[in-house]
Amino acid sequence: MIQAFGLTSNPRKELPPAVDDVSFEARAGRVTALLGASGAGKTTALRLMLELQRGRGLTYFRGRPLHRIAHPAREVGVLLGDVPGHPARTVRGHLRMLCAAAGVPVRRADEVLESAGLESLRDERLGALSRGMDRRLGLACALVPDPHTLVCDDPAGALSAQDARWLHGALRAHAAQGGTVLFSTADPKEAARNADHVVTLEKGRIVADQEAVEFSRTRLRPRVAVRTPHAARLAALVTKEARTARRSVEVVPEGGNRLAVYGSTCADIGETAFRNGILVHQLADEVGDMGPGAGAVPAARNQERGEADGDRAQVAGAQAAGAPAPPRPASSGAPQHPQADLRQAPATEGGADTTASGTVRHRTPGPRRALAPDGVAHSAAEGPGPGSGDAPDALDASDASRQRASRPFGARLSGSASAVRAAVVTLPPPISVRSAPSPLRPLRYELRRALGVGTGFVVGAVVLLVSAVTAVILARIGHTPQARLLAAWPQQVPLPPAALGAGLLGALAFGDEFRHPALAADRGTVPRRMGLLTAKLVVSAATALLLAALTVGCDTEVLRLFYGSELAQAPADWPALSAGWLGLVVGCAWSGVLAAGVFRSTSAGLAAVVAVPVVVVPLVQKVWQGPSVRTAAGFPMRVREILLTQWPFGGERYVAEALRLVAQPVGGAMTLSLTTLLCAYLLTTLRSRVR
């Protein structure tokens, strides 16, 4: 369950806080709606609960605050706005990437795709999805780690009636399995139809905390407010006249001398009071609506809801004893309230067991439930529920093939009156995952992130093309050393195209995380874990080495094609030059990764790469060559004597080459920059953990 205590946002200047001392509960096995008009503070309250915004107050998810949970994504699934994914990534690729980040089997992506009805769109780009499909994908992303709690901010906003019905059916199915569901909305009708409990916000404060039935009775329908010293007598007369005229009128005493009359008008009540000589102090129309467009709910519906609430304990007791549920009286008004029926649905073995008191036992893997059109959750072991018509068979989790229901989303179901269009919502089966720091499989996640979009391939192709053209032009002009010619590195340019391309790809490794925070949709910031940083450094280094090798090979072949084999020969000291070349490209890639991670921007990462030869190298040279009292004469020789005495198999040669590269201006500046950026990244990591 969710327990929120004293949520209060930080005020801005002289304005009052958007949320002020908000406290409520959302119980497991039930759907809770956070209702309020635009600007009431719904989104701010959710962000405070998820620790995405600074403020005061506490929120417990099954007894623990979110920052004390080792794996927040497994406890809380979040749907805030659109899917935060790269628009060029495919639907299936995005889900597979999230599977690697959550440490769950890759087949989980296909399971949630099937449950969300997105099988036909698995190869579609995220940027091409409609609003309804984007919402389905967002819910699928939230369900990948199989969380216990779902928190959604206006999930059905701007959706069609069909898509909204499907989404709320999925939320209802999750609650039926024992999970906790909290969603916000500005539509009181939506809250009354789809929630078990409604918390109403107005100007950042809670003005009502009610069951859905009580909310519909007191705050949704228009009513006539009457104030009279003879309230009991007038209530009896109004009820008697309505029964005689066979009209559906409900009179609710509200304490003292006040009455709320539903299903009548001011004129009728005034005439009744005048005929019987009753003094009336107030007679006015009131509407307890929280937003525009909420119409009246038939008064007969309340009578039916009251009967459903009255029979709830009897039905639950009969089902617990194994006896069939007693027959319900025939309805003379609107169809029954779906929430009342859902709470009476019997629990199957291994599923969620919701008692009459609202207690929900812990859910374990068991038969999957399907949500029928009437809102009743049926398990695979149960037959069709009452009033559901020919409901489709639910899926069985033990079925290895996990076949879909015989009637998919949108299939026509035959009813007693007419054929209706309905949605069958199934949830993916529960999963078992091992306990380890998240993301659990960073290397697999980084590979899928890098290969899931074509940016890296485009950058590589552009680098090879620019390098080839530059090498041909430099060979034609002449006066360029052979080593720089093969690397397409003019002396007037601070870095060759391959190094700039590697730096850009390294900067994108972290820049895309902040621009499209698919990994941090539930926490707001990219998790700063050494496993994720190591994976990005390894993948960027491998990409840089491949790019460097392809650049030299491509330039060599182009020079041989244009000018013959004379300009395509390798230099005499090619081992040392190759080591320096590879070190430069890998260093640029790592600089881009670390700078983008520290400054949270791709542009900042690329700027840090360019700043090494432009700013850091001249600064290092100026400091090293400036006036001093003492000089480090013989320092390289002494270091060589210390480090190169006990190396077997001639390893001292490679160490000497590495030291010589570091001693060069560019190598020293690159080493200094990488060390500084790494220290800055570690410092920001420790700072975020302390917070």
Side-chain angles (χ1 to χ4, degrees):
M1 65 183 301
I2 302 176
Q3 297 171 301
F5 303 101
L7 298 179
T8 304
S9 62
N10 293 335
R12 295 183 178 181
K13 297 182 180 180
E14 302 298 331
L15 299 177
V19 173
D20 188 6
D21 195 20
V22 171
S23 301
F24 64 92
E25 288 185 357
R27 296 185 179 181
R30 310 186 72 192
V31 179
T32 304
L34 193 61
L35 174 67
S38 178
K42 307 182 299 297
T43 301
T44 303
L46 294 182
R47 292 181 62 85
L48 288 172
M49 294 171 58
L50 298 172
E51 300 178 1
L52 301 179
Q53 182 173 331
R54 294 187 179 183
R56 299 189 300 274
L58 291 174
T59 303
Y60 291 144
F61 297 89
R62 289 201 292 181
R64 293 177 298 170
L66 199 60
H67 63 272
R68 296 291 185 183
I69 300 176
H71 311 294
R74 297 182 190 169
E75 179 64 32
V76 184
V78 178
L79 179 57
L80 302 177
D82 298 333
V83 175
H86 197 289
R89 201 179 304 278
T90 63
V91 171
R92 189 167 185 261
H94 183 76
L95 290 174
R96 289 168 67 92
M97 184 183 71
L98 294 182
C99 288
V104 300
V106 70
R107 66 175 179 273
R108 181 70 175 177
D110 296 326
E111 292 174 356
V112 295
L113 274 175
E114 177 186 354
S115 301
L118 296 173
E119 303 96 326
S120 60
L121 301 177
R122 64 177 60 196
D123 296 325
E124 194 75 19
R125 305 291 178 180
L126 298 186
L129 295 180
S130 64
R131 176 71 173 177
M133 295 301 103
D134 184 87
R135 282 295 185 178
R136 291 193 181 209
L137 178 59
L139 187 59
C141 294
L143 291 174
V144 163
D146 191 25
H148 177 271
T149 302
L150 287 179
V151 177
C152 308
D153 185 17
D154 194 14
L159 292 185
S160 64
Q162 188 179 22
D163 290 333
R165 191 182 308 115
W166 179 92
L167 191 141
H168 282 295
L171 298 181
R172 171 63 60 187
H174 184 81
Q177 289 186 348
T180 305
V181 176
L182 173 65
F183 74 92
S184 66
T185 179
D187 186 1
K189 286 185 175 181
E190 180 184 357
R193 283 194 301 262
N194 302 294
D196 302 312
H197 194 84
V198 181
V199 179
T200 306
L201 287 179
E202 185 174 337
K203 296 182 180 179
R205 289 180 173 270
I206 292 182
V207 296
D209 191 341
Q210 306 165 294
E211 295 294 320
V213 175
E214 181 71 11
F215 167 79
S216 299
R217 184 182 67 81
T218 60
R219 300 190 65 84
L220 188 61
R221 295 184 297 155
R223 61 185 178 268
V224 178
V226 184
R227 192 181 299 274
T228 173
H230 309 285
R233 181 184 172 195
L234 181 60
L237 291 172
V238 171
T239 303
K240 180 180 179 180
E241 291 185 1
R243 187 182 303 113
T244 303
R246 294 187 177 184
R247 290 187 293 110
S248 178
V249 176
E250 181 183 6
V251 182
V252 179
E254 294 189 348
N257 59 355
R258 179 180 170 85
L259 299 175
V261 183
Y262 298 91
S264 185
T265 63
C266 288
D268 293 339
I269 297 175
E271 291 177 1
T272 301
F274 178 77
R275 285 195 305 268
N276 295 275
I278 297 177
L279 177 64
V280 176
H281 292 165
Q282 180 190 13
L283 187 62
D285 289 321
E286 290 185 356
V287 179
D289 195 347
M290 298 301 297
V297 176
R301 199 178 197 178
N302 278 330
Q303 179 181 1
E304 196 166 39
R305 290 174 183 172
E307 294 170 356
D309 290 339
D311 295 340
R312 192 179 307 155
Q314 180 181 0
V315 173
Q319 291 172 352
R328 298 182 55 80
S331 171
S332 59
Q336 348 182 59
H337 190 53
Q339 279 75 18
D341 288 338
L342 180 63
R343 290 190 291 268
Q344 297 174 17
T348 59
E349 182 180 357
D353 185 4
T354 306
T355 63
S357 61
T359 304
V360 181
R361 299 187 179 95
H362 182 69
R363 63 188 178 121
T364 55
R368 297 165 65 186
R369 290 178 176 265
L371 190 69
D374 55 357
V376 184
H378 304 292
S379 68
E382 301 172 1
S388 61
D390 298 333
D393 297 331
L395 298 183
D396 189 355
S398 62
D399 186 1
S401 62
R402 292 186 177 87
Q403 298 179 354
R404 298 201 59 181
S406 58
R407 293 185 178 95
F409 177 79
R412 293 189 176 272
L413 304 178
S414 58
S416 57
S418 61
V420 295
R421 196 165 185 83
V424 178
V425 180
T426 59
L427 292 180
I431 56 175
S432 298
V433 293
R434 61 188 179 90
S435 177
S438 177
L440 301 179
R441 299 168 182 174
L443 186 59
R444 184 178 301 178
Y445 164 81
E446 181 61 20
L447 286 173
R448 287 176 178 160
R449 185 207 62 79
L451 300 177
V453 295
T455 305
F457 301 100
V458 173
V459 171
V462 171
V463 166
L464 294 179
L465 179 60
V466 173
S467 297
V469 173
T470 304
V472 171
I473 295 176
L474 290 178
R476 182 176 180 83
I477 296 175
H479 308 291
T480 302
Q482 184 68 12
R484 283 183 171 266
L485 186 62
L486 295 178
W489 188 1
Q491 297 181 357
Q492 297 80 9
V493 179
L495 287 174
L500 289 174
L504 176 59
L505 293 178
L508 287 172
F510 257 128
D512 277 349
E513 299 286 5
F514 294 101
R515 187 178 180 184
H516 309 289
L519 186 62
D522 58 336
R523 303 295 298 140
T525 58
V526 177
R528 294 183 175 273
R529 298 187 180 274
M530 294 308 299
L532 180 62
L533 176 62
T534 303
K536 291 186 178 297
L537 292 178
V538 169
V539 174
S540 62
T543 305
L545 292 175
L546 179 62
L547 187 61
L550 290 177
T551 300
V552 173
C554 185
D555 293 347
T556 301
E557 294 300 324
V558 169
L559 291 175
R560 178 180 288 109
L561 177 63
F562 276 84
Y563 303 107
S565 59
E566 181 181 356
L567 295 179
Q569 295 179 357
D573 54 345
W574 67 268
L577 292 175
S578 300
W581 168 246
L582 298 178
L584 174 66
V585 177
V586 172
C588 288
W590 284 357
S591 295
V593 171
L594 294 173
V598 171
F599 300 108
R600 303 185 178 188
S601 172
T602 302
S603 303
L606 187 59
V609 174
V610 178
V612 171
V614 175
V615 178
V616 182
V617 171
L619 184 61
V620 171
Q621 289 179 341
K622 185 176 181 180
V623 172
W624 189 258
Q625 296 175 359
S628 59
V629 177
R630 292 183 176 87
T631 60
F635 175 74
M637 184 60 67
R638 289 193 294 273
V639 171
R640 184 176 301 178
E641 291 176 356
I642 295 174
L643 298 178
L644 305 183
T645 53
Q646 303 295 331
W647 289 94
F649 307 108
E652 62 274 5
R653 291 185 306 166
Y654 304 103
V655 178
E657 290 295 335
L659 293 176
R660 188 172 68 84
L661 292 175
V662 173
Q664 293 178 359
V666 177
M670 185 66 68
T671 304
L672 178 63
S673 299
L674 288 176
T675 304
T676 304
L677 291 173
L678 182 59
C679 293
Y681 186 88
L682 296 177
L683 180 62
T684 55
T685 301
L686 294 176
R687 183 181 178 185
S688 63
R689 290 185 179 180
V690 169
R691 284 183 178 179

